[in-house]
Amino acid sequence: MVFIHRRPTWAIAEHLATPESAFLNRRALLQSMGLGMATAAMFAGTRGARAQDADPTADLYPAKKNEAYTLDRSLTPEKINANYNNFYEYGTYKEIAANAQELKTRPWDLEIGGLVEKPMTIGFDDLVRKMPLESRLYRHRCVEAWSMTIPWTGFPLKDLVAFAKPTSAAKFVRFETFLDPAMAPGQNDFLYPWPYVEGVTMAEAANDLAFVVTGAYDKPLLKQFGAPIRIALPWKYGFKSIKSIRKIEFVEEQPEGLWQAIQPSEYGFWANVNPKVPHPRWSQAMERVLHTGDRVPTLLFNGYGEQVAGLYKGMDESTLYM
Ligand SMILES: Nc1nc2c(c(=O)[nH]1)N[C@H]1C(S)=C(S)[C@@H](COP(=O)(O)O)O[C@H]1N2
Ligand SMILES: [Mo]
């Protein structure tokens, strides 16, 4: 994402220092417990291995493939996708994968509230087992004019809506990411109105393409992809696809997203992909395909017009693409 401001140098330094100082603190703790470096290294190794083995949803993967969602181009290799991310909670650059390992994904409770029959809090591990998991190949077009393709696993957003039982007063679904500056150093940056927020209309949420994502590449989501639960709205610019969701609310008012709040003249609520409507500071006509480096034409609704154009019939064209 591009946002016009000069980051104060102290903010960069503090941000980069944090994960390392966390490591140094762990080492100091083990030493103060009377354990030598060899033991410390062993501890660190076991911890890592256990954390992986212990993913309580690993048995759900690979999920059944939904053949209706295929692609006209090759998949972006996992190695490339997993090392080129936007996750501002862990840094304002693309190489945040290492920092994002600080994200603690268990326990992970989701709050479902607002205009619903009965507000609830549900553990992610409970929720995911109630939902019909499948895998789909999706495109992803970032507003910054790069794109990738990815095999997501998840379930239709409409199934989550049905589970939540919104009342007839609900007009939008509002999503919120966790807020925990100790776990996500980027959230100490006061220039951003944390937590990250995004939203869709009820009609958009009911569209088959709107997908709640719990895995990628046939396994539970890597932390840098927004574990344990995010969304994918492939006809919209990537910033709409909010990561690491903690709260889902049904509301009457159009939610204001983080990027919209920062720079409303550049990032709007609808953010549907359109090659003919430039971002105020760059063209959206072409995109750079992440894994090939090719520059290819961008398509209206990122190529998903057949499924989603109907959502916007009769609406003011000038508002839909920003
Ligand atoms: N919470 C949160 N969600 C987020 C972002 C973010 O910074 N924080 N970045 C968005 C942007 S701009 C993009 S392009 C995608 C990137 O997803 P990826 O890293 O899995 O490719 O996540 C979106 N969701
Ligand atoms: Mo993006």
Side-chain angles (χ1 to χ4, degrees), residues 1 86 140-144 146 237-239:
M1 221 56 166
N86 272 332
H140 175 101
R141 169 59 158 81
C142 177
V143 73
E144 298 162 331
W146 56 268
Y237 291 117
F239 69 87

Side-chain angles (χ1 to χ4, degrees), residues 60-112:
L60 298 172
Y61 301 84
K64 196 173 103 249
K65 206 168 166 183
N66 184 336
E67 302 287 351
Y69 299 93
T70 51
L71 294 171
D72 63 345
R73 51 180 89 164
S74 61
L75 274 183
T76 306
E78 180 179 9
K79 262 222 167 84
I80 293 178
N81 252 343
N83 291 289
Y84 191 92
N85 303 97
N86 272 332
F87 201 174
Y88 272 45
E89 285 82 348
Y90 290 97
T92 57
Y93 42 91
K94 301 291 181 279
E95 296 76 20
I96 54 79
N99 287 357
Q101 303 317 305
E102 294 295 317
L103 171 62
K104 287 169 197 68
T105 56
R106 295 295 187 291
W108 193 275
D109 284 336
L110 281 147
E111 270 178 62
I112 301 179

Side-chain angles (χ1 to χ4, degrees), residues 85-89 140 148 177 196 225 230 238 241 243:
N85 303 97
N86 272 332
F87 201 174
Y88 272 45
E89 285 82 348
H140 175 101
M148 54 107 162
T177 296
Y196 202 102
F225 289 140
R230 66 174 290 170
S241 294
K243 297 177 164 183

Side-chain angles (χ1 to χ4, degrees), residues 7-270:
R7 292 178 62 74
T9 37
W10 59 262
I12 295 171
E14 181 189 56
H15 175 86
L16 292 176
T18 303
E20 197 187 356
S21 57
F23 167 73
L24 290 174
N25 288 342
R26 266 200 301 278
R27 200 172 66 171
L29 177 71
L30 288 169
Q31 279 174 335
S32 74
M33 288 164 69
L35 303 168
M37 277 315 287
T39 330
M42 207 181 72
F43 260 63
T46 340
R47 226 176 54 107
R50 276 208 194 120
Q52 274 214 331
D53 295 344
D55 189 305
T57 62
D59 62 296
L60 298 172
Y61 301 84
K64 196 173 103 249
K65 206 168 166 183
N66 184 336
E67 302 287 351
Y69 299 93
T70 51
L71 294 171
D72 63 345
R73 51 180 89 164
S74 61
L75 274 183
T76 306
E78 180 179 9
K79 262 222 167 84
I80 293 178
N81 252 343
N83 291 289
Y84 191 92
N85 303 97
N86 272 332
F87 201 174
Y88 272 45
E89 285 82 348
Y90 290 97
T92 57
Y93 42 91
K94 301 291 181 279
E95 296 76 20
I96 54 79
N99 287 357
Q101 303 317 305
E102 294 295 317
L103 171 62
K104 287 169 197 68
T105 56
R106 295 295 187 291
W108 193 275
D109 284 336
L110 281 147
E111 270 178 62
I112 301 179
L115 303 166
V116 293
E117 283 179 19
K118 202 173 154 216
M120 64 174 124
T121 299
I122 182 166
F124 169 74
D125 298 322
D126 288 344
L127 177 71
V128 69
R129 287 183 194 279
K130 295 183 197 297
M131 295 291 139
L133 287 200
E134 61 181 45
S135 77
R136 300 179 174 190
L137 308 184
Y138 268 14
R139 301 154 167 271
H140 175 101
R141 169 59 158 81
C142 177
V143 73
E144 298 162 331
W146 56 268
S147 69
M148 54 107 162
T149 52
I150 188 162
W152 293 129
T153 300
F155 53 88
L157 177 53
K158 66 178 174 204
D159 289 304
L160 181 61
V161 172
F163 176 76
K165 297 196 176 73
T167 69
S168 58
K171 294 200 167 62
F172 299 89
V173 193
R174 181 184 184 278
F175 301 94
E176 203 177 288
T177 296
F178 67 85
L179 181 62
D180 186 347
M183 179 172 83
Q187 291 185 334
N188 290 304
D189 189 337
F190 61 84
L191 292 167
Y192 297 86
W194 307 109
Y196 202 102
V197 167
E198 264 307 336
V200 293
T201 64
M202 291 298 285
E204 289 175 329
N207 189 277
D208 283 333
L209 259 190
F211 204 46
V212 181
V213 173
T214 61
Y217 298 95
D218 285 334
K219 52 183 189 265
L221 275 182
L222 296 176
K223 293 181 180 187
Q224 57 267 42
F225 289 140
I229 183 168
R230 66 174 290 170
I231 55 175
L233 306 165
W235 72 100
K236 292 181 178 285
Y237 291 117
F239 69 87
K240 295 291 296 182
S241 294
I242 182 173
K243 297 177 164 183
S244 302
I245 297 165
R246 274 276 195 203
K247 200 193 262 187
I248 300 161
E249 277 180 298
F250 293 83
V251 296
E252 228 181 317
E253 301 274 299
Q254 183 177 294
E256 183 183 58
L258 176 133
W259 285 105
Q260 192 187 3
I262 295 174
Q263 203 73 312
S265 63
E266 300 191 356
Y267 308 104
F269 172 78
W270 298 101

